Amino acid sequence: MHSLPARHLFVYGTLRRGCANAEATWLAEVALWIGTAQVAGRLYHVAGYPGLVPDARGLMVRGDLFRLPHGPAGETILARLDAYEECAADCPAPHEYARIILPVQTQDGTVDAWTYVYRHSTAGLDLVVGGDFLRDALPPPR
């Protein structure tokens, strides 16, 4: 296996800390949470989960930044998450997401981080105004 070009992972939806699903719990156990961070882009509400489209025009998407372990352990984490995001090589194409490296802003500066970006059309999808899926995508209280 080759070394990872980025040792960080930025997540903005169902993999964030505090989400009540097995993959988010597992990620919090196997990777080091660095803190909250943000990336330039637009966040859409897809179908109970979000899709990030990178966009350098000023909108920001909030999420969590993790540091991945060195070597095969980090690659194993990414392989499992690729399967979760259905963008692994053995998943049926066309893939809804792609894992790419984006610049992520933290309180301490900018780092390059693996990020799952949405690849399908956003026509008809609602924008998550405010850019924070956990805070802004919830329906308003009645």
Side-chain angles (χ1 to χ4, degrees), residues 54-142:
D55 183 346
R57 292 180 284 182
L59 298 174
M60 299 304 287
V61 173
R62 183 180 173 98
D64 291 307
L65 185 67
F66 288 89
R67 182 174 298 125
L68 300 172
H70 286 287
E75 293 172 7
T76 299
I77 291 168
L78 290 174
R80 179 167 166 173
L81 295 177
D82 285 354
Y84 175 76
E85 298 290 354
E86 298 180 356
C87 65
D90 61 347
C91 290
H95 297 150
E96 189 173 31
Y97 290 90
R99 177 170 44 92
I100 66 170
I101 296 173
L102 290 177
V104 176
Q105 296 178 12
T106 73
Q107 290 181 329
D108 299 323
T110 302
V111 298
D112 289 336
W114 289 113
T115 307
Y116 290 93
V117 297
Y118 190 68
R119 297 183 54 205
H120 291 333
S121 170
T122 58
L125 297 180
D126 292 327
L127 185 67
V128 177
V129 178
D132 186 330
F133 184 73
L134 296 185
R135 182 191 70 210
D136 302 325
L138 300 174
R142 294 185 176 225

